[in-house]
Amino acid sequence: MPLPDQTAAQLESIRQQCARGEPCWGDVESHIPVERYFSPELWRAEVRGLFRPLPLIAAHSSELAAGHVLAHDAYGVPLLIARDGDGAVRAFLNVCRHRGMRLVAPGPAARELGSVVCPYHGWTYKLSGELRHMPHADAFDRCEPGGRDLVALPCEERHGLVWVVPEPGGTLELDGWLGGLDGELPFYEIDRLQLFRTIEAEYPANWKLIIDAFLEPYHIRVLHRDTIYPFFCDGITAALRFGPHTASLVARRAAQEWAAQADAPPPGTLAELRKLASPTHFIFPNTVTIFHPDYLSLITLYPTGPETLRWTHRMLIPRDKCTPDWLPHWEKTLQLIDRGVFEKEDIHCAVQTQRGLASGANRHLTAGRMEQGLAWFHENVMRYASSSA
Ligand code: FES
Ligand SMILES: [Fe+2]
C-alpha cells in the first residue's frame, strides 16, 4: 500500500527540514491556565462532554475472538464487549437487568462464554444481549419484547479497534468523526497486529499532562536523553490536524541521511517509513498510537479524578512474531518502553508537574512554537467540555 497523501506530505516536510537544516514549527507561543489541570468543575465537564458522548477506543480487535466477552472498566462505566460466533462485536452495560448485578468480572483477558449468566439469580443473556432465560420466570410479570435485554451501547469495529460510546442512546458515526484520518489509518495496518500485553495503572496527575507529552517532540532531547533520543533528530517533526485529531511524524536519525541524497526514493511501505520517522496519532479525546520500529504502543487515558488518571498501554506486535522464540524480545522491549521510557520519564514528569501546579509559581503553562499540538488539544478539550455545560 503506498503512503497515504497526508502522511506523504508530512514526510516531504521532514525531508525539507532535514535538507535545509531548518525545523518547521508553529507560528505562536500559547498559554494554558494551570486551573485546567486541577479544576473539579472542568474535570466533571470533561467526563460529561468528552468521555460519555464521544467514541472511545475500548479494545484492540485481537483481544476478542469469536464467542468471547471482555469486561472493561477503564472508562468509569462498566462495559461488556462481546464478539458473537459470527464475528460481530457489540457493547453493553455490564449490568444485569434484574437487580443490577455486575455480570462479568473484569479480568486480564476476554473469556469464552456461550452465554452470560448473572452470578446473583441466574438471568442468562445471549452474546447478542438478548435475555434468554430467567429461573422461575413465572415469578415475574410479562414485559414488552426486548424490555429486559442488556442495554446496548453504540459500538463499531474499524481499523482493528473497537470503538464504543459509553452512553446509552448515544450516537457513533465514525466516518464524520475521523474525517481525513479515516483514509490514512488503513496504511498503518493496526488490524494486522496482535495484543502482546496490557499494562494498566493509576497515577496522581491530570490526564491532559500525559497527552501534552505525546503532542510535542521538544522534550525528547532532554527527558529521553539516555533512552530514545539517540534514535531521533532534535525538533524535526511534521504534524497535521484532522478535526480534533492529530497525526505526527517525528524524524529519526536515518531521515537526515535519506534527505541528504537527492535521488533517494520515498519509502514505499510502513516498515520503510518507520525507519525514517515514528508516526504518532492522537485520536481525540484520549488515545495515542506510537509506531515504534517493530511494534505499536496503543495508549488510552481516563481521568479518574481532577488530579488522577488511569493509564492503559496495549503493546501490539506483528502476528508472525508471536512465537515463543520472540517472547524474550517483547518482554525486554515492554520493560524498556513502559517501565523505562513511559513510567520513569513521561509519566514521572506529569506526576512531578502536578505537584507544583497549584503552588502559584505559574498562572499558566507556556507552550512554545515546537509545542503547538498542545494548543490544538486544549482548544478542543475546552470546546467539547463547554458544550456539556
Ligand atoms: S441481579 Fe442478575 S439475576 Fe438477579
Ligand atoms: Fe516522551
Side-chain angles (χ1 to χ4, degrees), residues 325-339:
D325 51 322
W326 277 93
L327 285 185
H329 168 75
W330 298 126
E331 288 290 356
K332 189 172 157 206
T333 303
L334 181 68
Q335 289 303 319
L336 280 174
I337 197 77
D338 193 89
R339 293 281 101 94

Side-chain angles (χ1 to χ4, degrees), residues 307-327:
E307 299 187 67
T308 54
L309 67 90
R310 180 174 296 119
W311 160 272
T312 305
H313 173 205
R314 291 174 174 84
M315 180 172 168
L316 297 155
I317 61 175
R319 269 191 228 144
D320 62 352
K321 292 184 178 161
C322 295
T323 47
D325 51 322
W326 277 93
L327 285 185

Side-chain angles (χ1 to χ4, degrees), residues 213 219 224 346:
H219 69 281
H224 301 312
D346 294 303

